[in-house]
Amino acid sequence: MIIQLQQGIPADLKENILQQIKAVGFKGNEVLTQEGHYIVGIGKKDFDIRTLGQLPGVADIHRVSDEYKLISRKWKVEPTRIDLGDGVVIGEGQFSIMAGPCSIESEKQIELVVQHLVENNVKIMRGGVFKPRSSPYAFRGLGLEGLQMFHSICRANGIKIITEVMQVSQIDDMMDYVDVFQVGARNSQNFNLLDSLGEAQKPVLLKRGISGTLEELLQAAEYIFSNGNEKIMLCERGIRSYENAYRNVLDLNAVPVLKAKTHLPVIVDPSHGIGLRDYVEEMSLAAVMAGADGVIYETHQKPEEAFSDGQQTVNFKESERLIRRMRQAYALRESF
């Protein structure tokens, strides 16, 4: 169960609630976030929750049977919307587009991508400065110096930044330069990192693991929320299979299922999902019609010269067409 406490609850009332939870055979876990103050009660004993709901200091109470509690739509029916400031909001009611290169490569590259985004009214740029690569000899990013350059150019043009964090020690150094921390597929069950991002209070885009189930993705999100951060987006980016005609299987089944199970925004990454630039547009449009709250994809001025993932990256002309068609598809979806 989830007990939502009244704001500014006195310590004695909170302690009484915790004692009453214990008295009915449950363990109370206190969670304080940017948005609210909660107690997550864990136990199996059947009892009338109204006995707790009427206690002084309790604002609301819900029985949640899911293993993940705080991110469950059984508790919070209204969808979460994440405000990045300057009118940039992610969540139901609008469609968010996030685009940029796989890796940040140079000042000139950032300027060209930013110009492309501004011309197409895209407010969020993706780009990696710390890159987890399968080969230790591949380009692994420009690091903090690259992030600072990335931040400076984007801020001057009103663009928000999403970039990947790979380990706990990077969070503090990156904090002032990012708007959204991305947790990549390889780190989707790095629980130390998830705990720390819960404490960081900055929005997080959490990608599904390479072979991860939806249950595992949701439990990973619960780690972040239970450590104090409600600003979470879930990202379907494809899962590994035996098929070798494309990079991954983009599981668009996940979109409506996640939307039914959780109040968090659901984003789709078609670039990693299929791994072939010729099909990114089709899969992006399919993601829109499946109900995604946004799409994050890779674009570069010359994909064939990109330092990483050029085979799945669209050029600016293709990106411009993709943006236009996704907005048309979203308008059509909303008219149904």
Side-chain angles (χ1 to χ4, degrees):
M1 63 182 169
I2 296 175
I3 298 173
Q4 187 168 356
L5 303 179
Q6 294 174 356
Q7 290 291 343
I9 182 174
D12 60 332
L13 293 185
K14 184 182 72 175
E15 183 59 30
N16 179 57
I17 295 168
L18 288 167
Q19 290 301 320
Q20 294 300 318
I21 291 172
K22 185 177 180 179
V24 297
F26 276 60
K27 179 184 177 183
N29 300 271
E30 188 177 355
V31 176
L32 182 62
T33 74
Q34 313 105 322
E35 310 294 335
H37 196 171
Y38 315 98
I39 297 176
V40 179
I42 304 298
K44 296 183 178 180
K45 185 178 178 181
D46 190 23
F47 72 99
D48 188 345
I49 63 172
R50 289 175 294 183
T51 60
L52 296 178
Q54 64 187 5
L55 293 174
V58 173
D60 207 353
I61 186 168
H62 299 267
R63 193 183 297 278
V64 181
S65 57
D66 295 327
E67 286 295 317
Y68 45 91
K69 310 292 183 186
L70 292 161
I71 67 163
S72 173
R73 199 178 271 269
K74 291 180 181 177
W75 161 62
K76 186 178 178 183
V77 178
E78 291 298 315
T80 289
R81 288 166 57 84
I82 299 173
D83 189 347
L84 301 184
D86 302 318
V88 182
V89 180
I90 300 170
E92 285 191 20
Q94 61 189 76
F95 187 76
S96 298
I97 298 174
M98 312 171 197
C102 175
S103 301
I104 296 299
E105 301 168 359
S106 67
E107 182 176 7
K108 182 63 175 178
Q109 176 219 31
I110 300 169
E111 290 172 344
L112 289 172
V113 175
V114 165
Q115 180 182 351
H116 169 66
L117 298 184
V118 170
E119 289 174 351
N120 289 277
N121 196 30
V122 173
K123 300 293 187 181
I124 307 173
M125 180 172 168
R126 60 142 295 141
V129 294
F130 298 107
K131 296 300 299 179
R133 305 301 301 279
S134 298
S135 169
Y137 309 113
F139 177 66
R140 297 169 71 181
L142 296 179
L144 185 61
E145 184 177 342
L147 177 59
Q148 291 168 339
M149 178 172 60
F150 185 15
H151 170 269
S152 176
I153 297 170
C154 284
R155 276 292 173 273
N157 290 274
I159 301 292
K160 304 297 181 180
I161 289 174
I162 176 169
T163 193
E164 183 168 357
V165 59
M166 291 175 56
Q167 56 195 44
V168 173
S169 62
Q170 294 170 343
I171 294 174
D172 286 343
D173 290 338
M174 296 174 68
M175 183 69 72
D176 293 338
Y177 305 106
V178 303
D179 297 289
V180 181
F181 282 113
Q182 175 184 306
V183 177
R186 293 173 176 85
N187 270 319
S188 64
Q189 288 189 301
N190 181 341
F191 300 120
N192 290 334
L193 179 61
L194 301 179
D195 283 342
S196 295
L197 288 170
E199 297 168 1
Q201 303 291 300
K202 206 91 169 192
V204 176
L205 177 80
L206 176 63
K207 288 196 167 186
R208 184 178 180 181
I210 293 172
S211 300
T213 65
L214 295 186
E215 182 79 12
E216 289 168 335
L217 175 62
L218 292 166
Q219 289 281 35
E222 188 80 3
Y223 266 85
I224 299 171
F225 199 129
S226 65
N227 277 276
N229 189 353
E230 297 194 26
K231 299 178 180 180
I232 309 164
M233 296 165 262
L234 304 176
C235 183
E236 167 56 45
R237 48 80 68 200
I239 51 177
R240 179 174 289 166
S241 79
Y242 51 79
E243 181 56 67
N244 58 16
Y246 33 79
R247 180 172 180 177
N248 292 302
V249 175
L250 185 59
D251 182 13
L252 292 180
N253 293 338
V255 177
V257 173
L258 288 172
K259 298 283 288 183
K261 287 180 175 290
T262 179
H263 53 84
L264 302 176
V266 178
I267 309 298
V268 171
D269 179 348
S271 298
H272 284 88
I274 194 162
L276 299 167
R277 75 166 65 96
D278 289 347
Y279 309 114
V280 167
E281 181 174 313
E282 286 88 343
M283 299 313 297
S284 298
L285 297 176
V288 176
M289 300 312 291
D293 296 305
V295 162
I296 181 170
Y297 70 94
E298 293 179 356
T299 187
H300 191 286
Q301 68 272 23
K302 292 182 178 180
E304 63 277 7
E305 297 179 6
F307 288 8
S308 56
D309 283 353
Q311 77 284 353
Q312 65 189 35
T313 301
V314 298
N315 62 36
F316 289 167
K317 183 177 180 180
E318 293 165 333
S319 175
E320 183 176 356
R321 170 186 162 93
L322 174 57
I323 292 166
R324 183 177 68 253
R325 295 197 69 194
M326 284 194 292
R327 287 172 174 158
Q328 291 171 342
Y330 177 70
L332 177 62
R333 185 183 98 189
E334 292 299 290
S335 70
F336 288 164

